[in-house]
Amino acid sequence: MSRTDLDSERRANEVTATALRVVAGVILATHGALKLLDLHGTENGFVQLGIPYPHYAVYLAIAGEFLGGIGLILGLLTRIAALGTLCSMAVAIGYAHFGHGLLAKNGGWEYPLVLALVSLFFVTHGGGPASLDALFTRNREPSRARVRRVRSYA
């Protein structure tokens, strides 16, 4: 495989991972925003599902989905954001979906499982090169030219 082929494959992987991160983030942030816009209804739903401390759990779900989704969209604190969305999906599977079987058409857990696995991917891989995390990391690293100049004065 030539260097050009490897570069093309790397770029394709980066674009695909970025698209996955952004789209999953939009979906999760939207679900979190819906919870935020209907706190009382969400809390009542949590009570019916038997989620412990539903008044507090609502805010944890919003933090996990809305803030985590925004973090994924931007690629900001990506691993932490993805951990929040992963935890939200694990709770959703356990309390809302697991008893309904696999299929989403029956209220099952296939969709939150996919979002949980996408979140797990970003927990383990980070936001990638097209993220604010990468931008901030690049800006903090001194360039080789500056390091050489500093060393030459010593």
Side-chain angles (χ1 to χ4, degrees), residues 30-69:
T30 300
H31 281 271
L34 292 172
K35 287 176 176 59
L36 182 61
L37 293 172
D38 187 17
L39 287 171
H40 185 69
T42 303
E43 183 179 346
N44 286 339
F46 282 13
V47 168
Q48 291 176 356
L49 291 169
I51 294 175
Y53 306 103
H55 179 71
Y56 301 108
V58 167
Y59 295 103
L60 290 173
I62 290 168
E65 292 178 22
F66 183 66
L67 296 177

Side-chain angles (χ1 to χ4, degrees), residues 31 92-93 96-115:
H31 281 271
I93 290 168
H97 299 281
F98 196 73
H100 301 281
L102 174 67
L103 300 179
K105 72 176 187 174
N106 300 324
W109 43 272
E110 69 179 321
Y111 184 60
L113 177 63
V114 170
L115 289 173

Side-chain angles (χ1 to χ4, degrees), residues 14-26:
E14 290 171 0
V15 168
T16 304
T18 300
L20 180 64
R21 178 175 51 78
V22 171
V23 170
V26 167

